[in-house]
């Protein structure tokens, strides 16, 4: 170590106890800063009404540029925009217009999936209700050149790509799905979006249960279709650039690293999934830097693109940015990274208890850690536990299969997944 500042820092660290160092770092945490940052991330969107900051879109890239400048401004070193290539998706609009049973014109917003569908303003289509969208549901129905409306339950039955591709094979111009159960159950007006694991040439949109009920009310024994108007722009482009944003707090002793990671692409406005996680990791880094803390191991803040999607026509429909980060951009991280601390949907208490989900190798260490920390009872009355192994829901999965021990705050338990997820 050379330089006066380093020597003074070492002397201060020698005089302070571990608890004093921890409290000094905590005293610099600014949750208001992190909250503001999370809200600032919502400025860029592709759909001006619904949001969406999706893989490879201009909104994702602009948000990456914003995070790059923010990391530099708080004092992180070696801040990088690390390029990789993916299939991008831009969803600008999907507005459905139709008449209800009384003849009153009704307009509603649709969500969308990662497929191609563009109109030049409102275009008229015949819409046919196809039940659950199975092959049997199409018996005696001619849907060629028409839109179809189907009920789905992706948790208990099958994923969205199956009824979508069935509609394509039957000649429909697109499918509008209503999530009857499984996701988005919080409200009849809720829209839901999930990653599609199918080809981009089989168009798909989503509609709320309330709006779908108005459409279904038009169907009867003698009227099996209705006329609707759709104005939509959903565009997939293959082989486009995207960027993971990284910055460092250099370690004092080794070239080993600890990653703090979260993704910055989103469906809708993304405040919970995953702005809060990104802003939390940057807020932690800001507090450490302002406190003067000098870590033994280099801390790397990773704002990862394209967690929600990034590959056309593939069942591997998530974690594209993280996979590229550790398999293509930095394969040398295996063996150098001691742990990836990944964060997902951290702004909501999903249950009466919390959990750290991790790889098997870290389970014993984290159980000891969990036993030693005080968890506020008003947040989690049933305490904190450790679960292993990891699941495939988030970026820590790609890290782990690359040989990097990973952890994530567990979010898959409790009613949250059925009521609020996406």
């Amino acid at each position: 170590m050379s330089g006066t500042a380093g020597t003074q820092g070492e002397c201060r660290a020698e005089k302070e106890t571990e608890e004093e160092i921890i409290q000094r770092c905590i005293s610099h945490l600014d949750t208001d800063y992190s909250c503001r940052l999370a809200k600032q991330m919502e400025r860029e969107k592709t759909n001006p009404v619904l949001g969406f900051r999706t893989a490879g879109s201009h909104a994702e890239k602009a948000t990456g540029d914003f995070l790059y400048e923010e990391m530099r401004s708080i004092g992180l070193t070696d801040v990088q925009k690390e390029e990789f290539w993916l299939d991008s998706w831009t969803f600008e609009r999907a507005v459905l217009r139709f008449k209800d049973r009384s003849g009153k014109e009704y307009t509603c917003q649709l969500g969308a999936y990662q497929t191609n569908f563009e109109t030049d303003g409102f275009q008229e289509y015949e819409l046919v209700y196809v039940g659950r969208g199975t092959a049997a549901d199409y018996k005696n129905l001619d849907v060629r050149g028409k839109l179809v409306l189907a009920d789905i339950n992706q948790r208990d039955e099958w994923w969205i790509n199956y009824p979508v591709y069935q509609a394509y094979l039957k000649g429909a111009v697109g499918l509008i799905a209503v999530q009857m159960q499984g996701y988005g159950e919080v409200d009849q007006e809720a829209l839901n979006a999930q990653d599609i694991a199918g080809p981009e040439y089989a168009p798909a949109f989503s509609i709320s249960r309330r709006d779908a009920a108005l459409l279904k009310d038009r169907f009867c024994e003698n009227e099996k279709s209705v006329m609707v108007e759709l104005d939509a722009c959903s565009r997939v482009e293959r082989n486009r650039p995207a960027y993971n944003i990284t910055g460092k707090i250099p370690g004092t002793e080794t070239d080993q690293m600890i990653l703090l990671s979260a993704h910055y692409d989103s469906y809708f406005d993304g405040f919970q999934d995953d702005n809060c996680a990104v802003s939390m990791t940057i807020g932690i880094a800001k507090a450490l830097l302002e406190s003067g803390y000098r870590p033994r191991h280099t801390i790397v803040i990773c704002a990862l693109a394209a967690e929600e999607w990034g590959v056309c026509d593939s069942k591997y429909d998530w974690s594209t940015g993280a996979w590229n980060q550790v398999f293509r951009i930095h394969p040398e991280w295996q063996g150098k990274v001691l742990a990836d601390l990944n964060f997902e949907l951290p702004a909501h208490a999903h249950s009466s208890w919390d959990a750290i989900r991790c790889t098997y190798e870290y389970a014993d260490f984290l159980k000891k850690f969990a036993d030693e920390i005080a968890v506020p009872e008003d947040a989690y009355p049933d305490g904190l536990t450790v679960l292993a192994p990891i699941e495939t829901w988030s970026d820590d999965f790609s890290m782990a299969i690359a040989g990097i021990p990973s952890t994530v705050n567990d979010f898959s338990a409790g009613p949250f997944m059925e009521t609020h997820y996406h």
Side-chain angles (χ1 to χ4, degrees):
M1 182 69 65
S2 62
T4 305
T7 303
Q8 290 176 343
E10 286 182 343
C11 291
R12 181 173 63 177
E14 289 173 359
K15 293 176 182 178
E16 285 183 304
T17 66
E18 181 177 325
E19 181 61 28
E20 287 171 336
I21 295 172
I22 291 172
Q23 291 305 317
R24 176 161 53 86
C25 293
I26 290 175
S27 71
H28 285 271
L29 285 172
D30 184 350
T31 55
D32 288 338
Y33 163 81
S34 291
C35 186
R36 287 195 303 272
L37 182 59
K39 290 180 177 179
Q40 287 174 308
M41 289 175 63
E42 296 172 19
R43 290 182 302 194
E44 298 293 340
K45 58 190 74 175
T46 62
N47 184 309
V49 178
L50 299 179
F52 284 77
R53 187 173 59 250
T54 45
S57 67
H58 67 81
E60 186 192 62
K61 291 174 185 175
T63 302
D65 290 340
F66 166 69
L67 294 173
Y68 173 86
E69 295 298 336
E70 190 66 23
M71 287 187 189
R72 293 184 64 189
S73 72
I74 68 168
L76 289 173
T77 64
D78 193 24
V79 179
Q80 299 287 332
K81 290 175 59 178
E82 307 202 281
E83 185 180 81
F84 64 96
W85 292 74
L86 48 56
D87 299 328
S88 71
W89 176 45
T90 299
F91 170 45
E92 294 183 3
R93 66 186 182 277
V95 182
L96 191 69
R97 194 160 64 191
F98 60 92
K99 291 182 179 179
D100 63 17
R101 181 175 284 274
S102 69
K104 180 181 179 181
E105 188 170 88
Y106 189 81
T107 301
C108 64
Q109 296 288 331
L110 302 183
Y113 298 93
Q114 297 89 337
T115 56
N116 280 319
F117 195 100
E118 295 188 63
T119 65
D120 184 14
F122 279 99
Q123 187 168 329
E124 190 173 58
Y125 296 95
E126 189 175 353
L127 177 74
V128 181
Y129 178 53
V130 294
R132 291 155 70 224
T134 67
D137 289 315
Y138 284 89
K139 186 177 180 180
N140 299 324
L141 292 178
D142 180 9
V143 300
R144 287 172 295 182
K146 304 172 186 177
L147 288 169
V148 297
L149 175 69
D151 301 329
I152 61 172
N153 181 341
Q154 290 173 270
R155 288 185 67 83
D156 300 324
E157 293 182 338
W158 42 78
W159 205 243
I160 178 67
N161 47 288
Y162 291 100
V164 169
Y165 197 63
Q166 185 67 256
Y168 169 78
L169 292 177
K170 295 297 183 181
V173 297
L175 179 139
I176 301 174
V178 52
Q179 191 80 241
M180 297 304 293
Q181 287 180 299
Y183 293 107
E185 296 181 16
V186 63
D187 193 276
Q188 291 292 316
E189 297 184 33
L191 284 170
N192 187 254
Q194 302 289 345
D195 315 348
I196 203 165
E200 71 273 30
Y201 51 78
F205 300 93
S206 65
I207 190 171
S208 73
R209 294 188 298 281
R210 185 197 67 172
D211 294 336
L214 291 174
L215 278 170
K216 291 176 183 179
D217 191 50
R218 291 284 309 276
F219 298 109
C220 60
E221 186 175 346
N222 297 322
E223 189 177 2
K224 298 183 181 297
S225 67
V226 297
M227 298 307 297
V228 300
E229 293 179 308
L230 177 61
D231 178 19
C233 181
S234 176
R235 185 172 60 255
V236 171
E237 297 175 280
R238 295 204 180 206
N239 200 30
R240 306 295 296 171
Y243 304 90
N244 295 329
I245 315 299
T246 61
K248 298 177 181 178
I249 302 176
T252 60
E253 295 184 13
T254 72
D255 62 352
Q256 292 180 312
M257 297 178 288
I258 296 172
L259 311 183
L260 273 62
S261 64
H263 69 87
Y264 69 94
D265 62 320
S266 74
Y267 296 120
F268 305 107
D269 66 21
F271 181 81
Q272 160 76 331
D273 184 9
D274 206 20
N275 297 12
C276 284
V278 174
S279 65
M280 182 176 69
T281 61
I282 294 176
I284 290 171
K286 182 173 179 286
L288 295 178
L289 290 164
E290 290 177 352
S291 73
Y293 176 69
R294 303 289 298 278
R296 287 178 57 204
H297 307 297
T298 295
I299 296 173
V300 183
I301 306 300
C302 298
L304 297 164
E307 189 266 356
E308 302 292 5
W309 187 78
V311 182
C312 287
D313 202 8
S314 168
K315 65 181 179 180
Y316 304 104
D317 62 348
W318 79 105
S319 197
T320 303
W323 189 91
N324 277 275
Q325 186 71 10
V326 291
F327 280 96
R328 289 181 172 166
I329 300 174
H330 287 296
E332 77 282 1
W333 277 6
Q334 182 179 356
K336 288 187 177 181
V337 176
L338 298 175
D340 168 41
L341 311 183
N342 189 63
F343 298 95
E344 273 275 356
L345 302 96
H348 182 83
H350 302 177
S351 185
S352 62
W353 53 276
D354 198 13
I356 306 169
R357 186 170 287 278
C358 66
T359 52
Y360 284 119
E361 293 88 342
Y362 270 9
D364 289 342
F365 167 77
L366 287 172
K367 286 175 183 175
K368 183 176 183 298
F369 168 79
D371 289 341
E372 293 176 353
I373 65 172
V375 180
E377 289 189 6
D378 56 344
Y380 296 105
D382 293 326
L384 175 66
T385 189
V386 175
L387 302 174
I390 60 164
E391 296 178 328
T392 62
W393 284 96
S394 52
D395 284 325
D396 53 296
F397 178 76
S398 282
M399 299 287 183
I401 62 174
I404 295 172
S406 65
T407 73
V408 68
N409 57 297
D410 188 69
F411 56 89
S412 59
F416 174 87
M417 297 301 286
E418 290 86 358
T419 58
H420 289 77
Y421 185 66
H422 280 188

